[in-house]
Amino acid sequence: MHHDLQSSACSRVFSYIALTLLRFLTLPPSALASDAQFYDSSSKIGFAVSSAPNSSSTNLLFQLSAPQAAGWGAVGSGTRMDGSLMFVIYASGKDNGVTVSVRTAHGHDTPEATNDIDLVVLSTTIQNSTMTANVVCYNCTRWSSGSSIDVNSTKQPWIWAVGPGDSLVSASQSANFNQHASNGNFFADMTAARSDSPTTAPNISGTSNVNTKPLSSAFSALVVIHAIGLAGSFFLLFPLGVILLRWFGSFKFHWMLQVAASAICLVGLICAISLSVLDPEYASFNQTHQILGIITVAVLLPQIYFGYSHHLNYKKLGQRTTVSYLHLWSGRSVVLLGMVNAVLGFVLADSNTGAVVVAVLAVTILVITALVVFFGAKKRRSALNANSSHSSDIALNRYESFRG
């Protein structure tokens, strides 16, 4: 009896599984279709995207929405403005409609309209103060003039932005607009965003993220810590430590500043590695800025040892040894490398203006530090000559501050 009940229960379970599987396999293609959706609750910009094959390549289908109060909203391929294929929407002023402008940018300059895209606006509307456009693009996935759109990528990068709230009403695809008030990045699993209809755009549903992952909120904070920490070390703390030693003869504050700067650089490197892990574009660690940064911070570790050994040897011998010159020249080299890498960091961020400003600042600081070292050496020689005329017994701690 008990055995029969068990067999009956197992039969029901298997029958249920088989029936469910059969229903799933016999679903129409439209029921199996999916899309990727991104929604930013703060700016209220939404983006739903899918792809479908056409006769020659793959159609990109999407719905983009943004609050009318923002003036404009946009999404674009890639992780940055430079080379991104952008879709911008703003009120057209005609029949409560929306203008869809396809643009690209060089660096962080204002995006300019491009005519390379074969795009059809299926429908647009402004309802409840929200602008919405449904679009099909026939050759967006073949666009190769900048950041591509890979429908087979599980981490396709996208950027988004919304306007500052200025009134923007224009039917022109080349209308001027002001810089964004909010922006960010997200990554979409395009392999999960498939459609069986090559001309039906997906709908934004709710305010959740589906098959998309926004860039971590910690990303911006890590960028700030990385930039301020490393720039502050190489442009302020390390040069100041040299000045305090060479001009004021303060060995104590010299080593304290250098150790503190080295520790800050290590934190900055950890932040940089975290940034690279968070952003798939840099996960391969093949950028010059990344490689040089790792080398520069790595040199700091033996540099601390060289400095400590130099100090001990100098106390014993009263003169510089081989390790002393290793400490001096590795120190000069690491500061120079750090400054050069700061410039490369701005280049990597597509900020040419920032790179020029940082380069000029680096040259200025290097010149000032070199002058301090030069005239500091003359000052030490004068002091030694003056002391030798009175007494040959110079206090060791004073002498090492002159020569160290």
Side-chain angles (χ1 to χ4, degrees):
M1 178 75 175
H2 180 68
H3 177 73
D4 292 340
L5 289 175
Q6 282 185 326
S7 299
S8 177
C10 289
S11 298
R12 286 197 299 271
V13 170
F14 282 117
S15 297
Y16 175 79
I17 293 174
L19 182 61
T20 302
L21 182 60
L22 179 62
R23 287 175 177 173
F24 178 79
L25 292 175
T26 56
L27 283 173
S30 58
L32 298 176
S34 183
D35 57 77
Q37 175 176 300
F38 168 77
Y39 189 87
D40 181 69
S41 58
S42 177
S43 64
K44 294 181 172 55
I45 186 171
F47 180 64
V49 62
S50 63
S51 65
N54 62 31
S55 58
S56 59
S57 61
T58 302
N59 290 357
L60 189 73
L61 309 152
F62 66 87
Q63 182 178 88
L64 175 61
S65 69
Q68 187 178 11
W72 60 270
V75 295
S77 62
T79 59
R80 62 187 68 189
M81 286 178 59
D82 186 33
S84 175
L85 180 62
M86 305 177 195
F87 308 100
V88 188
I89 60 172
Y90 42 86
S92 67
K94 296 181 179 181
D95 300 325
N96 214 32
V98 175
T99 299
V100 179
S101 176
V102 185
R103 306 193 178 206
T104 189
H106 302 286
H108 280 87
D109 295 335
T110 303
E112 298 179 351
T114 177
N115 297 318
D116 297 336
I117 298 303
D118 182 10
L119 176 144
V120 173
V121 178
L122 301 173
S123 64
T124 68
T125 184
I126 299 178
Q127 287 185 334
N128 300 321
S129 300
T130 298
M131 304 178 292
T132 303
N134 296 297
V135 179
V136 54
C137 182
Y138 294 96
N139 66 343
C140 284
T141 58
R142 296 201 310 266
W143 191 72
S144 58
S145 300
S147 300
S148 62
I149 299 173
D150 183 2
V151 296
N152 296 313
S153 172
T154 58
K155 291 183 178 179
Q156 168 64 40
W158 295 90
I159 58 175
W160 64 268
V162 294
D166 296 341
S167 177
L168 177 59
V169 179
S170 176
S172 171
Q173 293 194 6
S174 301
N176 292 322
F177 51 83
N178 291 324
Q179 187 177 12
H180 53 72
S182 300
N183 67 292
N185 302 69
F186 65 94
F187 303 92
D189 182 358
M190 299 299 292
T191 63
R194 306 295 194 191
S195 174
D196 59 293
S197 173
T199 57
T200 303
N203 291 317
I204 298 168
S205 178
T207 59
S208 59
N209 290 307
V210 180
N211 296 320
T212 63
K213 183 179 180 181
L215 194 62
S216 172
S217 58
F219 192 87
S220 296
L222 289 172
V223 170
V224 172
I225 295 173
H226 168 70
I228 293 179
L230 289 170
S233 295
F234 288 108
F235 285 80
L236 178 62
L237 297 183
F238 283 128
L240 182 59
V242 173
I243 291 172
L244 288 174
L245 177 66
R246 297 302 175 186
W247 188 261
F248 296 100
S250 177
F251 171 75
K252 177 181 178 181
F253 286 106
H254 168 76
W255 74 260
M256 289 176 65
L257 277 176
Q258 308 306 69
V259 170
S262 299
I264 293 172
C265 285
L266 186 59
V267 172
L269 177 63
I270 293 172
C271 290
I273 293 173
S274 301
L275 289 170
S276 299
V277 171
L278 289 172
D279 191 339
E281 183 180 11
Y282 304 116
S284 58
F285 290 90
N286 59 359
Q287 298 290 333
T288 303
H289 176 68
Q290 294 173 301
I291 297 170
L292 188 59
I294 293 172
I295 293 173
T296 302
V297 177
V299 172
L300 287 173
L301 300 179
Q303 169 66 358
I304 294 173
Y305 170 75
F306 293 154
Y308 179 71
S309 299
H310 155 69
H311 176 65
L312 291 182
N313 291 341
Y314 200 88
K315 287 183 69 175
K316 293 178 182 178
L317 305 174
Q319 63 182 12
R320 291 175 178 170
T321 60
T322 301
V323 76
S324 303
Y325 293 102
L326 284 173
H327 175 63
L328 288 171
W329 286 104
S330 65
R332 293 165 183 170
S333 300
V334 79
V335 170
L336 181 60
L337 286 175
M339 290 182 172
V340 169
N341 208 39
V343 176
L344 292 177
F346 279 90
V347 172
L348 187 62
D350 295 324
S351 178
N352 293 330
T353 301
V356 172
V357 171
V358 170
V360 171
L361 181 61
V363 172
T364 302
I365 292 174
L366 288 173
V367 169
I368 292 173
T369 306
L371 290 174
V372 168
V373 171
F374 176 75
F375 288 106
K378 292 185 66 175
K379 178 183 176 183
R380 289 194 302 274
R381 284 194 295 268
S382 298
L384 286 172
N385 291 334
N387 287 339
S388 64
S389 63
H390 296 288
S391 172
S392 60
D393 185 17
I394 301 174
L396 179 60
N397 61 345
R398 185 64 175 167
Y399 184 72
E400 69 191 28
S401 71
F402 285 145
R403 291 291 303 276

